[in-house]
Amino acid sequence: MTLENNRSSLVYPDSIEIETSSKSSIMNFLKKIKKNKGALIGSMILLFFILTSALAPVIAPYPVNEMNFEDSLQGPSTEHWLGTDEFGRDIWTRMLYGGRVSLLMGLFAVTLSGTIGVTLGVIAGYYRRLDIYIMQFNDILMTFPSLLMAIAIVAVLGVGLTNAMIAVAISVVPSFVRVVRGSVLSIRETEYVEASRAIGVKNWKIIIKHILPNVASPIIILATLEFGSSILSAASLSFLGLGEQPPNPEWGALVYVGKSFLSQAWWMTLFPGLAIMLVVLGFNLLGDGLRDALDPRSK
């Protein structure tokens, strides 16, 4: 009984201390986010678009592809809040459904590029023998503008929503590789990592237990910022006719269609373009707020 009590006295206080420290760190993080007005504004903007897009089948007043030529090119009104297009389709409805496509494209691009980029960045930063080969290839990719690279990839893979998402994801990979590699290079030289290697801990365990948790903050910040950039790139591809194809709505495609009617129906271009701008702004504000909250060097 005495031995068990001694063991419990050694174990439980540590677990309680770890739990308390984790809760305090979360509380401090939330306090920093609440104090950052930009992050709050960005969060509210993103919450609005995410909820409206997710609930599009419920809140959309009209079927997404329903045509009514009698109502074609009508301006904003009580019946059609954001007006109608050349086929009499409700712009507000098409923006709701288009937001689902645009946000999905951004999510897919960031998830795929983050997975590939983080993996290559960890390998390059931890296994120095492979560093030069990965970074030389990464530097070659970074010489191309991201949009130009995405267009080239779509030209090879073919036009379509899936290929556009893959193209945007590949164009974002170099950013993740460079950021993660830089963080891993500094972490791998720390004493606790060297001690783990000295006692024979396997490399993959060191990466999972010590490397990845310590590079999580820059990854989260970069992913938030790249989310907005990916949506903008995806919208640009759709604007060029390389992404989502008609009659399916997507914000970039809606802007492309509306540009032919600028003098007659300015609302066809203004509102989808405004949605793209606000979402990108929301992610940038949120990313800046996360950077200030997660970076211990920031004041």
Side-chain angles (χ1 to χ4, degrees):
M1 293 295 292
T2 304
L3 180 58
E4 292 180 357
N5 290 335
N6 290 336
R7 286 179 177 175
S8 63
S9 64
L10 291 174
V11 175
Y12 287 106
D14 292 338
S15 61
I16 294 174
E17 183 178 353
I18 293 174
E19 183 179 357
T20 304
S21 62
S22 62
K23 288 183 178 180
S24 61
S25 61
I26 294 175
M27 293 300 297
N28 290 332
F29 170 77
L30 294 177
K31 288 180 180 179
K32 290 181 180 180
I33 291 294
K34 290 180 180 179
K35 291 181 180 179
N36 192 309
K37 294 182 180 180
L40 290 177
I41 294 174
S43 300
M44 289 188 290
I45 293 174
L46 295 177
L47 184 62
F48 170 78
F49 281 101
I50 291 173
L51 288 179
T52 54
S53 298
L55 298 175
V58 178
I59 64 177
Y62 300 94
V64 62
N65 289 319
E66 182 182 64
M67 298 183 184
N68 186 1
F69 291 98
E70 295 180 357
D71 295 334
S72 61
L73 300 180
Q74 285 192 4
S77 62
T78 54
E79 294 183 0
H80 301 282
W81 295 352
L82 303 183
T84 61
D85 62 7
E86 73 277 21
F87 296 111
R89 295 174 296 191
D90 184 65
I91 296 295
W92 169 241
T93 299
R94 293 182 63 77
M95 279 189 58
L96 291 176
Y97 281 91
R100 307 180 84 183
V101 178
S102 296
L103 293 174
L104 178 62
M105 292 178 74
L107 177 62
F108 178 88
V110 170
T111 302
L112 180 59
S113 62
T115 302
I116 298 174
V118 170
T119 302
L120 293 177
V122 169
I123 294 174
Y126 192 81
Y127 300 98
R128 300 309 304 275
R129 294 180 180 179
L130 301 175
D131 183 26
I132 185 172
Y133 303 106
I134 295 176
M135 293 313 297
Q136 282 182 348
F137 179 71
N138 194 68
D139 291 339
I140 293 174
L141 293 180
M142 293 192 71
T143 58
F144 297 94
S146 58
L147 181 58
L148 181 60
M149 183 190 300
I151 293 174
I153 295 172
V154 171
V156 174
L157 299 178
V159 175
L161 177 62
T162 302
N163 292 338
M165 290 190 293
I166 295 174
V168 173
I170 295 175
S171 67
V172 178
V173 167
S175 299
F176 280 95
V177 175
R178 182 170 291 275
V179 170
V180 173
R181 172 187 175 268
S183 299
V184 173
L185 283 175
S186 60
I187 295 172
R188 74 184 300 273
E189 302 299 332
T190 55
E191 295 180 355
Y192 58 87
V193 173
E194 292 182 355
S196 298
R197 285 199 295 262
I199 62 177
V201 179
K202 294 182 179 180
N203 289 328
W204 65 270
K205 288 185 177 181
I206 295 176
I207 291 174
I208 293 176
K209 292 184 178 181
H210 299 301
I211 302 296
L212 289 178
N214 285 284
V215 300
S217 294
I219 291 174
I220 293 173
I221 296 169
L222 181 61
T224 304
L225 296 173
E226 291 295 343
F227 207 121
S229 300
S230 298
I231 290 177
L232 185 60
S233 298
S236 300
L237 290 178
S238 297
F239 179 83
L240 297 173
L242 303 176
E244 183 68 291
Q245 299 299 303
N248 298 325
E250 193 273 337
W251 287 343
L254 294 178
V255 174
Y256 172 77
V257 173
K259 74 179 181 61
S260 302
F261 300 91
L262 280 176
S263 59
Q264 300 172 275
W266 50 266
W267 51 88
M268 290 179 60
T269 302
L270 175 64
F271 295 120
L274 189 62
I276 297 172
M277 184 200 74
L278 289 175
V279 168
V280 175
L281 176 63
F283 277 111
N284 288 338
L285 292 175
L286 180 59
D288 290 340
L290 291 176
R291 180 193 59 197
D292 295 338
L294 295 174
D295 188 357
R297 294 170 298 180
S298 63
K299 296 182 180 180

